[in-house]
Each structure stands twice: as C-alpha cells, then as structure tokens.
Amino acid sequence: MITTDKKPNILMVLCDQLSWRALPCYGNTDVETPNIDRIASQAVRFSEAYTPCPLCMPARTSFWTSRLPHETGVKSNGGRYPSPLDIPADMPTLGGVLTGAGYRAVHFGKTHDSGALRGFEIASSGTLSADSPAAWPASRDTLQDRHTTEACIRWL
C-alpha cells in the first residue's frame, strides 16, 4: 500500500439527462466521446446507479446530502407541490464534509439544490453566446452549459 500525505484530487462530473447508453465507455459504438472516454479510462466508473427521485431538485439534494427526499424534505421542484426552500441547517452536506477535511470544494453549474450545496464555493453563473443551426437552436441551458464549461476549464 502506498501512502502519501497529499490528498487525492476529486472531480465529480454530473450530466443531467446523459444516459450511460450513449457513451462508448459503456459499449456504445455509434458515437464518439473521446474526452469522456479518456476520463472514464482513468477513473472509477459505476455500472449501476439509481435516482432517489425522478425530479431535479429532490435528486440533486439527495446526492449532495446522501439523504432521501423524505429526509431532506425536498420532494418536488416547487411549483404546484412546493418543497421547503432549504434543507435543515444541521443536515450534513458533501461540500461541508469535503471542506471540513481540508479540501477546497468548488461547484460549477446548476445550483437549484435547496441549500444542499452548502460547504461549496459557488462559481459564478452566466451565459455565453453559441453558434447553432436553425434546426437546433441554442437554448438558455446550452448557453449556461458553455459558460460553465469554460469557467471550469479556467479554474482547473
């Protein structure tokens, strides 16, 4: 066993609505994703994953807290069935755990998380323009994704 005083770097990449079936590193031969494949070849890849809820905010909140929606109180995205605005103040979060362990935890991307990103430094959000064909116009999400990608690359 090799020991070192240096903490390993941790990089988590979460992609909304990207199915494992679409990736060559999981066997798809119809597309090319060289950068994802390179990361996957040097990282831990999971063969099974489940969501605690098929809605964005409850699922993200569960991910960052390791708690189920009935424990976080976040059971919806708001709207017709509103959830609490924030998780309980004493509920541990991954950002808090990492920060407490001496990591600099920085989050890039979507932040509608009901307070579950507590402990992370939140990188600025914004949009950048993007060329897109008329048949597939760039949406606000696309413009935010481009900003997030470029901000993350600069930070790394």
Side-chain angles (χ1 to χ4, degrees):
M1 180 175 167
I2 299 172
T3 60
T4 179
D5 292 335
K6 186 176 179 184
K7 293 182 175 85
N9 289 325
I10 300 170
L11 173 66
M12 289 184 281
V13 179
L14 307 176
C15 300
D16 280 1
Q17 303 172 13
L18 174 61
S19 172
W20 64 272
R21 292 180 193 102
L23 299 172
C25 63
Y26 287 101
N28 187 315
T29 58
D30 296 324
V31 297
E32 294 179 10
T33 58
N35 294 320
I36 292 174
D37 294 344
R38 188 175 65 250
I39 292 169
S41 73
Q42 301 171 24
V44 174
R45 267 188 314 122
F46 296 95
S47 60
E48 296 183 29
Y50 303 90
T51 185
C53 184
L55 296 171
C56 298
M57 282 180 52
R60 284 190 188 104
T61 302
S62 289
F63 182 85
W64 297 118
T65 62
S66 297
R67 304 285 181 94
L68 294 169
H70 73 274
E71 296 173 291
T72 65
V74 181
K75 300 175 190 172
S76 74
N77 288 335
R80 187 170 161 201
Y81 303 103
S83 289
L85 294 176
D86 287 310
I87 60 170
D90 62 345
M91 184 171 283
T93 65
L94 182 59
V97 170
L98 291 172
T99 300
Y103 281 91
R104 181 173 180 200
V106 183
H107 177 271
F108 294 84
K110 295 181 177 182
T111 57
H112 47 281
D113 63 294
S114 295
L117 288 172
R118 188 172 52 238
F120 282 96
E121 294 175 42
I122 305 299
S124 64
S125 62
T127 60
L128 290 174
S129 63
D131 294 330
S132 62
W136 193 315
S139 68
R140 179 165 169 74
D141 283 343
T142 301
L143 303 180
Q144 287 176 324
D145 290 347
R146 181 161 181 233
H147 177 274
T148 298
T149 301
E150 292 191 16
C152 189
I153 289 168
R154 280 192 306 274
W155 189 88
L156 290 171

